[in-house]
Amino acid sequence: MPQLTTFVSAGRRILPNQWDLIAFAAILAVLTGIAKSYHGISAPLPAANESVVSLDYWELPYYAFRTVLRMFAALAASLVFTFTYATLAAKSRRAEMVLIPVLDVLQSVPILGFLSFTVTFFLGLFPGNTLGAELAAIFAIFTSQAWNMAFSFYQSVRTVPPDLDEVARGFRLTGWQKFWQLEAPFAMPGLIWNTMMSMSGGWFFVVASEAITVGDTTITLPGVGSYIAKANDEGNWWAIGAAVLTMGIVILLYDQLLFRPIVAWAAKFRVELSESQDVESSWMLNLIKRTYWLKSGFVPIAAAMRSVSFWPLHLPRSASAPSLSKSQVPSRLIDALWILIVIAVAAWAAWLTVSYIATGANWDEVAHVFLLTTYTLIRVIVLMALATVVWVPISVWVGLRPRWAEAVQPIAQFLAAFPVNLLFGAAVSLVLAFNLNPNIWLSFLIVFGTQWYIVFNTIGGAAAFPNDLREAAANFHVHGWLWWRQVIIPGIMPYYITGAITASGGSWNASIVAEYVKWKDHTVVADGVGSYIAQATDKGDFPKIVLGVAVMSLFVTIFNRLFWRRLYAYAERRLRL
């Protein structure tokens, strides 16, 4: 009888339980959706200016799935980019001299600035096939996701606490081992929050990526973004409402099924000596833990990844290493040669850019663009200041309370993902009805989608703030403004600066759709480089597009060098945990 009982118990452990069946059903549903979408991806490319989108409500689930597939494909590419590009910038001083300014420029280049030149390239790779347009859309979404994640990871790797770095040295971890055992786990909480923000940023520009218009040619791909674009052009408020509802449902689904479990899992990577009484939870993570087959399937994968993380490979030490031996002091001759190479390449690129711009613009046009870019710069500075004053206190309060963060997370993702072009009708109507100054009132459209970079990074910084430091401040009765000035602001400053840099770059990016607003037969224009680029794109005037993007990138790089990077260096030097 005991043998029979043992056999039955073993059989029950081998057989899948009810939680496995639920998980397998969800996996099959996703695979079925991917298989259905594949037929659309491999279909022949529709003719230019031919709409393949119907405003039928029943098509929205399929469109939503196509959009989500593009966004997750772009997210996968963004993660690969983050773990390579940001790591190299953080660990190599010479690479940092080039990679970080390039990242400053890339995050400021408008999505349409990329699309104007990349659509032709991707369509040429797969002539007559929809896959080329799909890759162009994925690349456009990638450009709205990758920079934020890369900045976050770079900031985290550069600000690993010195005592933990000493422990890694004491254990004689190689560069590879230190990266996977210390630096990547330390960066994980901030990276996850920025990944969520990047997904929302992808939604923000999904209209531009699925309904690509360059000159007189429009290429439309099935998706929520193209659905919104068509409903917006026709002024169909019911269709717009249905698209917004669908978008909200999709955001809630991937928040609960993916991001909430990851946030709860990543809580174990916090740097603290005492455990917080508020613990993140996720029903989806609990469901996975209750499965047998699914959980067993992850065991060999986790073991293989852990084994890889312990390979004795050597990587360069972090560029922020506190001390270097004489043998590690970089050669001044090599530094000089490297700087000369960088200057030569930059001069060559500048010469090519100037030569191309000269084919379609004169010096008066250049001076005019500089003036327009100054207008946009003033808007960005004022809006960043307002967003900081309003959202930093709120984000800190939420980040220090995991239960509230869990409730606010999907709401914040939805607001961050809300496409600003859905507000065009209201914005144009208000400006025209009350004869308002578009240079002032259209400015708020810029910050609507970019302020959330500050929110998500500040929440992530507050959530990662060590609980033992909070308890120490409470024991010493540090309250009020003193607590803000001496405790929490220094603790979240690196995270805030990362969010502010990205929000600033995103604001420049958003100006292209916020300073040149179309609604039905009405167009409202605010003076700025964003409207200049948008109008040049509508006309297909590529030299002027390049001129606007080049001047915008120059302003962003100088502003980041003179302000944000100095502030970041101070936070890295004086405000590390």
Side-chain angles (χ1 to χ4, degrees):
M1 192 67 179
Q3 292 180 349
L4 179 60
T5 303
T6 303
F7 179 79
V8 173
S9 300
R12 288 177 178 175
R13 286 196 299 268
I14 294 174
L15 293 175
N17 56 29
Q18 66 269 30
W19 308 111
D20 280 305
L21 297 178
I22 295 174
F24 290 152
I27 293 172
L28 286 175
V30 172
L31 293 177
T32 301
I34 293 174
K36 183 178 179 181
S37 299
Y38 174 77
H39 296 290
I41 294 173
S42 59
L45 183 69
N49 300 321
E50 176 186 342
S51 178
V52 296
V53 176
S54 167
L55 293 185
D56 187 351
Y57 299 149
W58 295 107
E59 295 289 343
L60 270 172
Y62 173 68
Y63 293 161
F65 198 83
R66 288 285 296 271
T67 296
V68 169
L69 283 181
R70 294 183 190 109
M71 294 181 69
F72 275 102
L75 190 65
S78 299
L79 286 171
V80 173
F81 176 83
T82 295
F83 278 94
T84 52
Y85 191 99
T87 302
L88 183 60
K91 288 184 169 291
S92 172
R93 185 172 55 84
R94 295 190 182 99
E96 181 189 27
M97 294 168 55
V98 179
L99 297 182
I100 296 304
V102 168
L103 201 59
D104 288 336
V105 172
L106 288 175
Q107 71 163 343
S108 66
V109 176
I111 298 296
L112 288 180
F114 284 113
L115 286 177
S116 304
F117 299 96
T118 57
V119 169
T120 304
F121 170 76
F122 284 110
L123 291 179
L125 292 179
F126 302 93
N129 195 289
T130 304
L131 183 58
E134 289 283 352
L135 291 177
I138 291 171
F139 181 79
I141 298 172
F142 165 85
T143 60
S144 66
Q145 293 179 342
W147 325 137
N148 174 51
M149 296 164 62
F151 268 123
S152 170
F153 198 77
Y154 166 80
Q155 168 258 317
S156 297
V157 173
R158 290 293 300 263
T159 56
V160 172
D163 52 338
L164 295 182
D165 188 73
E166 288 297 326
V167 171
R169 293 173 185 270
F171 280 102
R172 298 187 178 183
L173 298 181
T174 65
W176 177 265
Q177 292 168 343
K178 178 185 173 185
F179 177 77
W180 290 111
Q181 299 300 319
L182 173 59
E183 293 167 340
F186 178 78
M188 201 55 60
L191 178 61
I192 290 170
W193 280 96
N194 278 278
T195 301
M196 291 188 289
M197 180 62 232
S198 292
M199 279 292 289
S200 297
W203 282 103
F204 187 78
F205 288 106
V206 76
V207 175
S209 63
E210 292 181 348
I212 305 170
T213 300
V214 180
D216 297 327
T217 303
T218 299
I219 298 174
T220 304
L221 295 172
V224 175
S226 54
Y227 185 97
I228 290 174
K230 184 172 183 178
N232 199 37
D233 289 340
E234 297 182 6
N236 190 332
W237 287 102
W238 288 105
I240 290 175
V244 172
L245 178 61
T246 302
M247 188 176 68
I249 293 172
V250 170
I251 291 172
L252 181 63
L253 284 175
Y254 69 63
D255 172 77
Q256 293 298 308
L257 298 179
L258 179 63
F259 286 129
R260 174 47 46 187
I262 293 177
V263 168
W265 167 79
K268 63 183 180 181
F269 297 125
R270 287 182 182 175
V271 179
E272 55 190 10
L273 300 178
S274 62
E275 186 177 0
S276 174
Q277 296 182 3
D278 296 321
V279 180
E280 288 88 348
S281 62
S282 165
W283 63 268
M284 185 63 188
L285 184 61
N286 294 335
L287 186 150
I288 294 174
K289 290 180 178 178
R290 291 172 182 169
T291 62
Y292 179 73
W293 277 15
L294 188 63
K295 189 169 64 175
S296 300
F298 280 115
V299 170
I301 298 175
M305 293 176 66
R306 183 173 179 80
S307 176
V308 169
S309 71
F310 278 105
W311 285 354
L313 301 178
H314 292 275
L315 295 177
R317 293 190 179 274
S318 173
S320 62
S323 62
L324 292 172
S325 65
K326 290 185 179 180
S327 62
Q328 293 172 317
V329 175
S331 168
R332 292 187 177 183
L333 178 60
I334 296 177
D335 281 349
L337 290 175
W338 177 250
I339 292 173
L340 287 176
I341 293 173
V342 171
I343 292 175
V345 172
W348 176 71
W351 171 253
L352 291 179
T353 303
V354 171
S355 300
Y356 185 73
I357 292 173
T359 62
N362 53 30
W363 286 109
D364 290 336
E365 187 75 14
V366 174
H368 176 61
V369 174
F370 266 84
L371 180 62
L372 293 178
T373 309
T374 303
Y375 294 154
T376 303
L377 173 64
I378 295 172
R379 287 193 184 97
V380 170
I381 293 174
V382 173
L383 292 170
M384 287 299 98
L386 290 175
T388 298
V389 171
V390 171
W391 287 112
V392 167
I394 297 174
S395 302
V396 168
W397 190 90
V398 171
L400 294 177
R401 294 162 177 82
R403 297 296 182 187
W404 276 94
E406 182 178 347
V408 168
Q409 178 180 318
I411 300 174
Q413 285 189 73
F414 175 78
L415 293 175
F418 193 86
V420 70
N421 63 331
L422 295 186
L423 302 175
F424 284 178
V428 171
S429 300
L430 288 173
V431 169
L432 296 178
F434 297 98
N435 196 26
L436 301 175
N437 187 344
N439 290 314
I440 297 175
W441 296 99
L442 289 185
S443 300
F444 293 99
L445 295 178
I446 294 178
V447 79
F448 185 85
T450 58
Q451 62 188 343
W452 308 109
Y453 290 105
I454 294 176
V455 172
F456 274 78
N457 276 277
T458 306
I459 290 177
F465 191 78
N467 186 62
D468 47 306
L469 295 185
R470 293 175 58 186
E471 292 177 350
N475 290 336
F476 282 103
H477 303 288
V478 180
H479 302 292
W481 173 241
L482 183 63
W483 179 81
W484 281 94
R485 186 165 54 89
Q486 297 292 340
V487 179
I488 197 64
I489 289 181
I492 67 168
M493 184 58 70
Y495 294 87
Y496 163 76
I497 294 174
T498 299
I501 292 174
T502 313
S504 177
S507 295
W508 287 93
N509 207 327
S511 68
I512 197 170
V513 294
E515 293 179 347
Y516 185 71
V517 177
K518 288 183 176 181
W519 174 252
K520 293 185 178 179
D521 297 328
H522 301 287
T523 301
V524 178
V525 181
D527 294 328
V529 70
S531 59
Y532 179 87
I533 295 172
Q535 293 178 77
T537 302
D538 278 352
K539 298 174 183 177
D541 192 337
F542 290 99
K544 288 186 178 180
I545 294 174
V546 174
L547 174 61
V549 171
V551 175
M552 176 187 287
S553 301
L554 179 64
F555 269 65
V556 171
T557 302
I558 294 174
F559 186 71
N560 284 356
R561 290 287 107 184
L562 296 180
F563 180 71
W564 287 121
R565 290 300 162 195
R566 290 174 180 265
L567 190 60
Y568 184 86
Y570 173 80
E572 183 183 89
R573 186 175 63 253
R574 299 290 300 273
L575 304 179
R576 296 173 70 177
L577 291 176

